[in-house]
Amino acid sequence: MKAGYYMAFFALGAILGSFFNMLIYRLPRNISIVAPRSFCPHCGKQLKWWHNIPIVSYLLLGGKCYYCKSPIGVRYLLVEIITALTLVLLYAKFGLTEKMLWASLFLLPLIPAAFIDLEHYILPDSATIGTLVWGLISSVGHISPVSIKASVIGALVCGGAFLAVAFLSKGGMGLGDVKLAASFGANFGLKVGVTSLFVSVLLGALVGIALMLLRKKGRKDRIPFGPFMVLGAYACTFFGKELARLYLGF
Ligand SMILES: [Zn+2]
């Protein structure tokens, strides 16, 4: 029985990932997400349904457009696999519970947001404010792990802390990051929320230093912070209590 659920969540996640790929391409370019059917960004030809099966089609077509043979970014495959694995891991952690519903609606929108930030340096409001509102709503009735009071305080403190950093760094940190920090506070509460921000700062710093040492990026080059925040959110969804004890000591 359980294996069936795992397979179903993997398939559902792959389909959702395919939808995220469309969002990642279309949202920043202001292309309608309903009107044109999927097309190749190189030759513009419309894709047939069997070019569009998540994960499978990418592998069958060898990562190339069926018509013009232009390479399709490996990102398409990655996003589908990441989304599928996210749902599988959430099911493994929480089972079919309200907590799984909470964590899914919190983490899943962050996947397209991270990839959009990586490419365009924007975090869409639909993901940041959307998950912030979800954190507040889901704290009512024990769907999320925190009380409504903890959710509000978490949002104010985490959002406020990043707002101060954004103000002091004069544009070094964007408002999208501030909204996302508030969302983490709303979803995790104060303790785990602050921890998730610590984890993202640590990961961002490590990768930033590594890139500088490899001379891939100069000190002035911008590295989007959103993807590191999303990694922090993942870490704290699965190991929030443990990481809080490690970082904050309680
Ligand atoms: Zn093509």
Side-chain angles (χ1 to χ4, degrees), residues 25-40:
Y25 184 78
R26 293 189 186 186
L27 270 186
R29 292 176 176 82
N30 281 321
I31 305 174
S32 161
I33 58 167
V34 232
R37 292 199 25 208
S38 297
F39 56 90
C40 165

Side-chain angles (χ1 to χ4, degrees), residues 8-164:
F9 279 123
F10 189 88
L12 183 67
I15 294 168
L16 200 61
S18 169
F19 172 70
F20 287 166
N21 273 320
M22 190 195 66
L23 290 182
I24 295 164
Y25 184 78
R26 293 189 186 186
L27 270 186
R29 292 176 176 82
N30 281 321
I31 305 174
S32 161
I33 58 167
V34 232
R37 292 199 25 208
S38 297
F39 56 90
C40 165
H42 298 283
C43 64
K45 281 231 164 84
Q46 253 185 26
L47 304 182
K48 298 243 181 324
W49 68 267
W50 59 272
H51 301 146
N52 238 341
I53 307 166
I55 302 175
V56 178
S57 292
Y58 188 94
L59 298 174
L60 280 181
L61 295 169
K64 292 193 189 93
C65 169
Y66 176 72
Y67 301 103
C68 68
K69 307 291 174 208
S70 297
I72 305 166
V74 74
R75 187 201 77 207
Y76 284 85
L77 182 65
L78 262 181
V79 169
E80 285 163 1
I81 292 177
I82 290 172
T83 312
L85 286 181
T86 300
L87 267 187
V88 165
L89 290 174
L90 286 174
Y91 173 63
K93 165 91 180 169
F94 298 109
L96 277 183
T97 59
E98 292 104 328
K99 294 279 178 296
M100 181 179 175
L101 177 69
W102 158 71
S104 303
L105 290 182
F106 169 50
L107 280 189
L108 291 171
L110 301 183
I111 298 173
F115 281 90
I116 288 173
D117 196 27
L118 213 50
E119 228 179 286
H120 303 275
Y121 301 95
I122 352 165
L123 286 167
D125 281 345
S126 44
T128 56
I129 296 179
T131 55
L132 167 61
V133 171
W134 171 242
L136 294 170
I137 295 174
S138 65
S139 66
V140 183
H142 300 296
I143 297 171
S144 93
V146 295
S147 69
I148 177 75
K149 191 177 151 203
S151 179
V152 172
I153 293 174
L156 289 174
V157 175
C158 291
F162 265 39
L163 187 63

Side-chain angles (χ1 to χ4, degrees), residues 187-220:
N187 279 282
F188 290 132
L190 185 56
K191 199 166 90 174
V192 178
V194 167
T195 305
S196 70
L197 299 181
F198 273 130
V199 173
S200 23
V201 169
L202 179 72
L203 289 173
L206 287 176
V207 171
I209 291 167
L211 286 176
M212 265 198 266
L213 289 176
L214 295 168
R215 300 191 186 278
K216 294 234 184 239
K217 298 255 178 196
R219 202 205 270 270
K220 294 256 151 130

